[in-house]
Coordinates of all heavy atoms in Angstrom, one line a residue:
M10 N 0.8 -1.2 0.0 CA 0.0 0.0 0.0 C 0.9 1.3 0.0 O 0.5 2.3 -0.6 CB -0.9 0.0 1.3 CG -2.2 0.7 1.1 SD -3.1 0.1 -0.3 CE -4.6 1.0 -0.2
A11 N 2.0 1.2 0.7 CA 2.9 2.3 0.7 C 3.4 2.7 -0.6 O 3.6 3.9 -0.9 CB 4.0 2.0 1.7
R12 N 3.6 1.7 -1.5 CA 4.1 1.9 -2.8 C 3.1 2.7 -3.7 O 3.6 3.5 -4.5 CB 4.4 0.5 -3.5 CG 5.8 0.1 -3.3 CD 6.0 -1.3 -3.9 NE 6.6 -1.2 -5.2 CZ 7.0 -2.3 -5.9 NH1 6.9 -3.5 -5.3 NH2 7.5 -2.2 -7.1
I13 N 1.9 2.4 -3.5 CA 0.8 3.1 -4.3 C 0.8 4.6 -3.9 O 0.7 5.5 -4.8 CB -0.6 2.5 -4.0 CG1 -0.6 1.1 -4.7 CG2 -1.7 3.3 -4.6 CD1 -1.8 0.3 -4.3
L14 N 0.9 4.9 -2.6 CA 1.0 6.3 -2.1 C 2.2 7.0 -2.7 O 2.1 8.1 -3.1 CB 1.0 6.3 -0.6 CG -0.3 6.0 0.1 CD1 -0.2 6.0 1.6 CD2 -1.3 7.1 -0.3
L15 N 3.3 6.3 -2.7 CA 4.6 6.8 -3.3 C 4.4 7.1 -4.7 O 4.8 8.2 -5.2 CB 5.7 5.8 -3.1 CG 7.1 6.4 -3.2 CD1 7.5 7.2 -2.0 CD2 8.1 5.3 -3.5
L16 N 3.8 6.2 -5.5 CA 3.6 6.4 -6.9 C 2.6 7.6 -7.1 O 2.9 8.4 -8.0 CB 2.9 5.1 -7.5 CG 4.0 4.1 -7.9 CD1 3.2 2.8 -8.3 CD2 4.8 4.6 -9.1
L17 N 1.6 7.7 -6.3 CA 0.7 8.8 -6.5 C 1.4 10.1 -6.2 O 1.2 11.1 -6.9 CB -0.5 8.7 -5.4 CG -1.7 8.0 -6.0 CD1 -2.7 7.7 -4.9 CD2 -2.4 8.8 -7.0
G18 N 2.2 10.1 -5.2 CA 3.0 11.3 -4.9 C 3.9 11.7 -6.0 O 4.0 12.9 -6.4
L19 N 4.6 10.8 -6.6 CA 5.5 11.0 -7.8 C 4.7 11.5 -9.0 O 5.1 12.4 -9.7 CB 6.2 9.7 -8.2 CG 7.4 9.4 -7.3 CD1 7.9 8.0 -7.6 CD2 8.5 10.4 -7.4
L20 N 3.5 10.9 -9.1 CA 2.6 11.4 -10.3 C 2.2 12.8 -10.1 O 2.3 13.6 -11.1 CB 1.4 10.5 -10.3 CG 0.7 10.4 -11.6 CD1 1.4 9.4 -12.6 CD2 -0.8 10.0 -11.5
V21 N 1.8 13.2 -8.9 CA 1.4 14.6 -8.6 C 2.6 15.5 -8.9 O 2.5 16.6 -9.5 CB 0.9 14.8 -7.2 CG1 0.7 16.2 -6.8 CG2 -0.4 14.0 -7.1
L22 N 3.8 15.1 -8.4 CA 5.0 15.9 -8.6 C 5.3 16.1 -10.1 O 5.6 17.2 -10.5 CB 6.2 15.2 -7.9 CG 6.4 15.6 -6.4 CD1 7.5 14.8 -5.8 CD2 6.7 17.1 -6.3
A23 N 5.2 15.0 -10.8 CA 5.5 15.0 -12.3 C 4.5 15.9 -13.0 O 4.8 16.7 -13.9 CB 5.4 13.6 -12.9
L24 N 3.2 15.9 -12.5 CA 2.2 16.8 -13.1 C 2.5 18.2 -12.9 O 2.5 19.0 -13.8 CB 0.8 16.4 -12.5 CG -0.3 16.5 -13.5 CD1 -0.7 15.1 -13.9 CD2 -1.5 17.2 -12.8
F25 N 2.9 18.6 -11.7 CA 3.2 20.0 -11.4 C 4.5 20.4 -12.2 O 4.5 21.5 -12.7 CB 3.5 20.1 -9.9 CG 2.3 20.4 -9.1 CD1 1.8 19.5 -8.2 CD2 1.7 21.7 -9.2 CE1 0.6 19.8 -7.5 CE2 0.5 22.0 -8.5 CZ 0.0 21.0 -7.6
W26 N 5.4 19.5 -12.3 CA 6.7 19.8 -13.0 C 6.4 20.0 -14.5 O 6.8 21.0 -15.1 CB 7.6 18.6 -12.9 CG 8.9 18.7 -13.6 CD1 10.0 19.5 -13.3 CD2 9.3 18.1 -14.8 NE1 11.0 19.4 -14.2 CE2 10.6 18.5 -15.2 CE3 8.6 17.2 -15.7 CZ2 11.2 18.0 -16.3 CZ3 9.3 16.7 -16.8 CH2 10.5 17.2 -17.1
A27 N 5.5 19.2 -15.1 CA 5.1 19.3 -16.5 C 4.4 20.6 -16.7 O 4.6 21.3 -17.7 CB 4.3 18.1 -16.9
L28 N 3.5 21.0 -15.9 CA 2.7 22.2 -16.0 C 3.6 23.4 -15.9 O 3.5 24.4 -16.7 CB 1.6 22.3 -14.9 CG 0.4 21.4 -15.2 CD1 -0.6 21.5 -14.0 CD2 -0.4 21.9 -16.4
G29 N 4.5 23.4 -15.0 CA 5.5 24.5 -14.8 C 6.4 24.6 -16.0 O 6.7 25.7 -16.5
R30 N 6.8 23.5 -16.6 CA 7.7 23.5 -17.8 C 7.0 24.1 -18.9 O 7.5 24.9 -19.7 CB 8.1 22.1 -18.1 CG 9.5 21.8 -17.6 CD 9.9 20.4 -18.1 NE 10.4 20.5 -19.4 CZ 11.7 20.7 -19.8 NH1 12.6 20.9 -18.8 NH2 12.1 20.7 -21.0
R31 N 5.7 23.7 -19.1 CA 4.9 24.2 -20.3 C 4.8 25.7 -20.2 O 4.9 26.4 -21.2 CB 3.5 23.6 -20.3 CG 3.5 22.4 -21.3 CD 2.2 21.6 -21.1 NE 1.0 22.4 -21.5 CZ -0.2 21.9 -21.7 NH1 -0.4 20.6 -21.4 NH2 -1.2 22.6 -22.0
R32 N 4.6 26.3 -19.0 CA 4.4 27.7 -18.8 C 5.8 28.4 -19.1 O 5.8 29.4 -19.8 CB 4.0 28.1 -17.4 CG 3.2 29.3 -17.3 CD 2.5 29.5 -16.0 NE 1.5 28.4 -15.7 CZ 0.9 28.2 -14.6 NH1 1.3 29.0 -13.5 NH2 0.0 27.3 -14.4
D33 N 6.9 27.8 -18.7 CA 8.2 28.4 -18.9 C 8.5 28.4 -20.4 O 9.0 29.4 -20.9 CB 9.3 27.6 -18.2 CG 9.3 27.9 -16.7 OD1 8.6 28.9 -16.3 OD2 10.1 27.3 -16.0
G34 N 8.2 27.3 -21.1 CA 8.5 27.2 -22.5 C 7.8 28.2 -23.3 O 8.3 28.9 -24.2
A35 N 6.5 28.5 -23.0 CA 5.7 29.5 -23.7 C 6.3 30.9 -23.5 O 6.4 31.7 -24.4 CB 4.3 29.5 -23.3
G36 N 6.8 31.2 -22.3 CA 7.3 32.5 -22.0 C 8.6 32.7 -22.7 O 8.8 33.8 -23.3
S37 N 9.5 31.7 -22.7 CA 10.8 31.9 -23.3 C 10.7 31.9 -24.9 O 11.4 32.6 -25.5 CB 11.8 30.8 -22.9 OG 11.3 29.6 -23.4
A38 N 9.7 31.2 -25.4 CA 9.5 31.2 -26.9 C 9.1 32.6 -27.4 O 9.5 33.0 -28.4 CB 8.5 30.2 -27.2
K39 N 8.3 33.3 -26.5 CA 7.8 34.6 -26.9 C 9.0 35.6 -26.9 O 9.0 36.5 -27.7 CB 6.7 35.0 -26.0 CG 5.9 36.1 -26.5 CD 4.7 36.5 -25.6 CE 3.9 37.6 -26.1 NZ 2.8 38.0 -25.1
A40 N 9.9 35.5 -26.0 CA 11.0 36.5 -25.8 C 12.2 36.1 -26.7 O 13.2 36.8 -26.7 CB 11.4 36.6 -24.4
G41 N 12.1 35.0 -27.4 CA 13.2 34.5 -28.2 C 13.7 35.4 -29.3 O 14.8 36.0 -29.2
P42 N 12.9 35.5 -30.4 CA 13.4 36.2 -31.6 C 13.5 37.7 -31.4 O 12.8 38.4 -30.6 CB 12.3 35.9 -32.6 CG 11.0 35.7 -31.8 CD 11.5 35.1 -30.5
G43 N 14.5 38.3 -32.1 CA 14.6 39.8 -32.1 C 15.5 40.2 -30.9 O 15.4 39.7 -29.8
P44 N 16.4 41.2 -31.2 CA 17.3 41.7 -30.2 C 16.5 42.6 -29.2 O 15.6 43.3 -29.6 CB 18.3 42.6 -30.9 CG 17.7 42.9 -32.2 CD 16.7 41.8 -32.5
V45 N 16.9 42.6 -27.9 CA 16.2 43.4 -26.9 C 16.7 44.9 -27.0 O 17.9 45.1 -27.1 CB 16.4 42.8 -25.5 CG1 15.6 43.6 -24.5 CG2 15.9 41.4 -25.5
G46 N 15.8 45.8 -26.9 CA 16.2 47.3 -26.9 C 16.4 47.8 -28.3 O 16.8 49.0 -28.4
A47 N 16.2 47.1 -29.4 CA 16.4 47.6 -30.7 C 15.2 48.4 -31.2 O 14.1 48.1 -30.8 CB 16.8 46.5 -31.7
P48 N 15.4 49.3 -32.1 CA 14.2 50.0 -32.7 C 13.3 49.1 -33.4 O 13.8 48.1 -34.0 CB 14.9 51.1 -33.6 CG 16.3 50.6 -33.8 CD 16.6 49.8 -32.6
P49 N 12.0 49.3 -33.5 CA 11.1 48.4 -34.1 C 11.4 48.2 -35.6 O 11.3 47.1 -36.1 CB 9.7 49.1 -33.9 CG 10.0 50.5 -33.6 CD 11.4 50.5 -33.0
G50 N 11.8 49.2 -36.4 CA 12.0 49.0 -37.8 C 13.5 49.2 -38.1 O 14.2 49.6 -37.3
P51 N 13.9 48.8 -39.3 CA 15.3 49.0 -39.8 C 15.6 50.5 -40.0 O 14.8 51.2 -40.6 CB 15.3 48.2 -41.1 CG 13.9 48.2 -41.6 CD 13.0 48.2 -40.4
M52 N 16.7 50.9 -39.4 CA 17.1 52.3 -39.5 C 17.8 52.6 -40.9 O 18.8 52.0 -41.2 CB 18.0 52.7 -38.4 CG 18.2 54.2 -38.3 SD 19.3 54.7 -37.0 CE 18.3 54.3 -35.5
P53 N 17.2 53.5 -41.7 CA 17.8 53.8 -43.0 C 19.1 54.5 -42.8 O 19.2 55.5 -42.1 CB 16.8 54.6 -43.7 CG 15.9 55.2 -42.7 CD 16.0 54.2 -41.5
M54 N 20.1 54.1 -43.5 CA 21.5 54.7 -43.5 C 21.7 55.5 -44.8 O 21.4 55.0 -45.9 CB 22.6 53.7 -43.2 CG 22.4 52.9 -41.9 SD 22.7 53.9 -40.5 CE 24.5 54.0 -40.5
V55 N 22.4 56.6 -44.7 CA 22.7 57.4 -45.9 C 24.2 57.8 -45.8 O 24.8 57.8 -44.7 CB 21.9 58.7 -46.0 CG1 20.4 58.3 -46.3 CG2 22.0 59.6 -44.8
A56 N 24.8 58.0 -46.9 CA 26.2 58.4 -47.0 C 26.3 59.9 -47.3 O 25.6 60.4 -48.2 CB 26.9 57.6 -48.1
C57 N 27.2 60.6 -46.6 CA 27.4 62.0 -46.9 C 27.9 62.2 -48.3 O 28.9 61.6 -48.7 CB 28.3 62.6 -45.8 SG 28.7 64.4 -46.1
A58 N 27.3 63.1 -49.1 CA 27.7 63.3 -50.5 C 29.0 64.1 -50.5 O 29.7 64.1 -51.6 CB 26.6 64.1 -51.2
H59 N 29.5 64.6 -49.4 CA 30.7 65.4 -49.4 C 31.9 64.6 -48.9 O 32.9 64.5 -49.6 CB 30.5 66.7 -48.5 CG 31.7 67.6 -48.5 ND1 32.0 68.3 -49.6 CD2 32.6 67.9 -47.6 CE1 33.1 69.0 -49.4 NE2 33.5 68.7 -48.1
C60 N 31.7 63.9 -47.7 CA 32.9 63.2 -47.1 C 32.6 61.7 -47.2 O 33.6 60.9 -46.9 CB 33.1 63.7 -45.7 SG 31.9 63.2 -44.5
G61 N 31.4 61.2 -47.5 CA 31.2 59.8 -47.6 C 30.9 59.1 -46.3 O 30.7 57.9 -46.2
L62 N 30.7 59.9 -45.2 CA 30.4 59.3 -43.9 C 29.0 58.7 -43.9 O 28.1 59.4 -44.4 CB 30.6 60.4 -42.8 CG 30.3 60.0 -41.4 CD1 31.5 59.3 -40.8 CD2 29.9 61.2 -40.5
H63 N 28.9 57.5 -43.3 CA 27.6 56.9 -43.2 C 27.0 57.3 -41.9 O 27.6 57.2 -40.8 CB 27.7 55.4 -43.3 CG 27.9 54.9 -44.8 ND1 29.1 55.0 -45.4 CD2 27.0 54.4 -45.7 CE1 29.0 54.6 -46.7 NE2 27.7 54.2 -46.8
L64 N 25.7 57.7 -41.9 CA 25.0 58.0 -40.7 C 23.5 57.7 -40.9 O 23.0 57.5 -42.0 CB 25.2 59.4 -40.3 CG 24.6 60.5 -41.2 CD1 24.5 61.9 -40.4 CD2 25.4 60.8 -42.5
A65 N 22.8 57.7 -39.8 CA 21.3 57.5 -39.8 C 20.7 58.6 -40.6 O 21.0 59.8 -40.4 CB 20.8 57.4 -38.4
Q66 N 19.7 58.2 -41.4 CA 19.0 59.2 -42.2 C 18.3 60.3 -41.3 O 18.2 61.5 -41.7 CB 17.9 58.5 -43.0 CG 17.3 59.4 -44.1 CD 16.3 58.7 -45.0 OE1 16.6 57.6 -45.5 NE2 15.2 59.2 -45.2
A67 N 17.9 59.9 -40.1 CA 17.3 60.8 -39.2 C 18.2 61.9 -38.7 O 17.8 63.0 -38.4 CB 16.7 60.1 -38.0
E68 N 19.5 61.6 -38.7 CA 20.5 62.6 -38.3 C 21.2 63.3 -39.5 O 22.0 64.2 -39.3 CB 21.6 61.9 -37.5 CG 21.1 61.3 -36.2 CD 22.1 60.4 -35.5 OE1 23.3 60.6 -35.8 OE2 21.7 59.5 -34.8
A69 N 20.8 63.0 -40.7 CA 21.5 63.5 -41.9 C 20.7 64.8 -42.3 O 19.6 65.1 -41.9 CB 21.5 62.5 -43.0
V70 N 21.4 65.6 -43.1 CA 20.9 66.8 -43.7 C 20.7 66.6 -45.2 O 21.6 66.2 -45.9 CB 21.8 68.0 -43.4 CG1 21.2 69.3 -43.8 CG2 22.1 68.1 -41.9
Q71 N 19.5 67.0 -45.7 CA 19.3 66.8 -47.1 C 19.2 68.2 -47.8 O 18.6 69.1 -47.3 CB 17.9 66.1 -47.3 CG 17.8 65.5 -48.7 CD 16.5 64.6 -48.9 OE1 15.5 64.8 -48.2 NE2 16.5 63.7 -49.8
D72 N 19.8 68.3 -49.0 CA 19.7 69.5 -49.8 C 18.5 69.5 -50.7 O 17.8 68.5 -50.8 CB 21.0 69.8 -50.5 CG 21.3 68.9 -51.7 OD1 20.5 68.0 -51.9 OD2 22.3 69.1 -52.3
A73 N 18.4 70.6 -51.5 CA 17.3 70.7 -52.4 C 17.3 69.6 -53.5 O 16.2 69.3 -54.1 CB 17.3 72.1 -53.0
E74 N 18.5 69.1 -53.8 CA 18.6 68.1 -54.9 C 18.4 66.7 -54.4 O 18.5 65.7 -55.2 CB 19.9 68.2 -55.6 CG 20.0 69.6 -56.4 CD 21.5 69.9 -56.7 OE1 22.3 68.9 -56.9 OE2 21.9 71.0 -56.8
G75 N 18.1 66.6 -53.1 CA 17.8 65.2 -52.5 C 19.1 64.5 -52.1 O 19.0 63.3 -51.7
R76 N 20.3 65.2 -52.0 CA 21.5 64.5 -51.6 C 21.6 64.6 -50.1 O 21.1 65.6 -49.5 CB 22.7 65.2 -52.2 CG 22.8 64.9 -53.7 CD 24.0 65.6 -54.3 NE 24.0 67.0 -54.1 CZ 24.9 67.9 -54.4 NH1 26.0 67.4 -55.0 NH2 24.8 69.1 -54.2
W77 N 22.2 63.7 -49.5 CA 22.4 63.6 -48.0 C 23.7 64.1 -47.6 O 24.7 63.8 -48.2 CB 22.1 62.2 -47.5 CG 20.6 61.8 -47.6 CD1 20.1 61.1 -48.6 CD2 19.5 62.2 -46.8 NE1 18.8 60.9 -48.5 CE2 18.4 61.6 -47.4 CE3 19.4 63.0 -45.7 CZ2 17.1 61.8 -46.8 CZ3 18.1 63.1 -45.1 CH2 17.0 62.5 -45.7
F78 N 23.8 64.8 -46.5 CA 25.1 65.2 -45.9 C 25.1 65.0 -44.4 O 24.0 64.9 -43.8 CB 25.3 66.7 -46.2 CG 25.4 67.0 -47.6 CD1 24.3 67.4 -48.4 CD2 26.6 67.0 -48.3 CE1 24.4 67.7 -49.7 CE2 26.7 67.3 -49.6 CZ 25.6 67.6 -50.4
C79 N 26.3 64.9 -43.8 CA 26.4 64.5 -42.4 C 26.2 65.8 -41.5 O 25.9 65.6 -40.3 CB 27.8 63.9 -42.1 SG 29.2 65.1 -42.3
S80 N 26.3 67.0 -42.1 CA 26.1 68.2 -41.3 C 25.8 69.4 -42.2 O 26.0 69.3 -43.4 CB 27.4 68.5 -40.5 OG 28.5 68.7 -41.4
E81 N 25.3 70.4 -41.6 CA 25.0 71.6 -42.4 C 26.2 72.2 -43.1 O 26.2 72.7 -44.2 CB 24.4 72.7 -41.5 CG 22.9 72.5 -41.1 CD 22.0 72.9 -42.2 OE1 22.5 73.5 -43.2 OE2 20.8 72.5 -42.2
D82 N 27.4 72.0 -42.4 CA 28.6 72.5 -42.9 C 29.0 71.8 -44.2 O 29.3 72.5 -45.2 CB 29.7 72.1 -41.8 CG 30.8 73.2 -41.8 OD1 30.5 74.4 -42.0 OD2 32.0 72.8 -41.7
H83 N 28.8 70.5 -44.2 CA 29.1 69.7 -45.4 C 28.1 69.9 -46.5 O 28.4 69.9 -47.7 CB 29.3 68.2 -45.1 CG 30.6 67.9 -44.6 ND1 31.1 66.6 -44.4 CD2 31.7 68.7 -44.2 CE1 32.3 66.6 -43.9 NE2 32.7 67.9 -43.8
R84 N 26.9 70.2 -46.1 CA 25.8 70.5 -47.1 C 26.2 71.8 -47.9 O 26.1 71.8 -49.1 CB 24.5 70.7 -46.4 CG 23.3 70.9 -47.4 CD 22.0 70.9 -46.7 NE 21.8 72.1 -45.9 CZ 21.3 73.2 -46.4 NH1 20.8 73.2 -47.7 NH2 21.1 74.3 -45.7
A85 N 26.6 72.8 -47.1 CA 27.0 74.1 -47.8 C 28.3 73.8 -48.7 O 28.4 74.3 -49.8 CB 27.4 75.1 -46.7
Q86 N 29.3 73.0 -48.1 CA 30.5 72.8 -48.9 C 30.2 71.9 -50.1 O 30.7 72.1 -51.2 CB 31.5 72.1 -48.0 CG 32.2 73.0 -47.0 CD 33.1 72.3 -46.2 OE1 33.9 71.4 -46.6 NE2 33.2 72.6 -44.9
G87 N 29.3 70.9 -50.0 CA 28.9 70.0 -51.1 C 28.2 70.8 -52.2 O 28.5 70.6 -53.4
A88 N 27.3 71.7 -51.8 CA 26.5 72.5 -52.8 C 27.5 73.4 -53.5 O 27.4 73.6 -54.7 CB 25.5 73.3 -52.0
R89 N 28.5 74.0 -52.7 CA 29.4 74.9 -53.4 C 30.3 74.2 -54.4 O 30.6 74.6 -55.5 CB 30.3 75.6 -52.3 CG 30.6 77.0 -52.6 CD 31.5 77.6 -51.5 NE 30.7 77.6 -50.2 CZ 31.3 77.6 -49.0 NH1 32.6 77.4 -48.9 NH2 30.6 77.6 -47.9
G90 N 30.7 72.9 -54.0 CA 31.6 72.1 -54.8 C 30.9 71.7 -56.1 O 31.4 71.7 -57.2
A91 N 29.5 71.4 -56.0 CA 28.8 71.0 -57.2 C 28.6 72.1 -58.2 O 28.6 71.9 -59.4 CB 27.4 70.5 -56.7
R92 N 28.5 73.3 -57.7 CA 28.3 74.4 -58.6 C 29.6 74.8 -59.3 O 29.6 75.4 -60.4 CB 27.9 75.7 -57.7 CG 26.6 75.6 -57.1 CD 25.4 76.0 -58.1 NE 24.2 75.3 -57.8 CZ 23.3 75.7 -56.8 NH1 23.6 76.7 -56.1 NH2 22.2 75.0 -56.6
G93 N 30.8 74.4 -58.8 CA 32.0 74.6 -59.5 C 32.9 75.4 -58.7 O 33.5 76.3 -59.0
Ligands
ZN13 ZN1 30.2 64.9 -44.5

């Protein structure tokens, strides 16, 4: 009779262990893909038309002709260089 009680106890333990594992698995699977703390979308990169420096489009300066520059300084120099 003691063996049956032992088996029942093991069964209950196994059940709790399986339930706990299933919950852990679902949680880790959700947090798996994708780097943590990264921006949601891909950040567009542009090259400065004057010095060739690559920087994020959000930090770049665009001139009237649609060219990208790393700073207002290079935008003025680039425009001057294009004119001759
Ligand atoms: Zn530049």
Side-chain angles (χ1 to χ4, degrees):
M10 209 54 176
R12 265 174 97 172
I13 290 170
L14 283 175
L15 195 77
L16 275 171
L17 266 172
L19 281 173
L20 202 80
V21 169
L22 273 175
L24 214 103
F25 271 110
W26 177 76
L28 282 174
R30 261 185 82 89
R31 261 170 68 170
R32 210 169 293 170
D33 280 356
S37 64
K39 198 177 179 184
V45 181
M52 192 182 287
M54 300 289 286
V55 294
C57 175
H59 185 69
C60 70
L62 180 82
H63 282 77
L64 69 160
Q66 192 176 308
E68 297 168 25
V70 185
Q71 196 174 28
D72 72 355
E74 293 165 32
R76 291 179 304 175
W77 291 100
F78 296 92
C79 67
S80 61
E81 282 286 346
D82 214 40
H83 278 187
R84 186 173 71 89
Q86 286 178 39
R89 215 178 299 152
R92 292 275 152 83

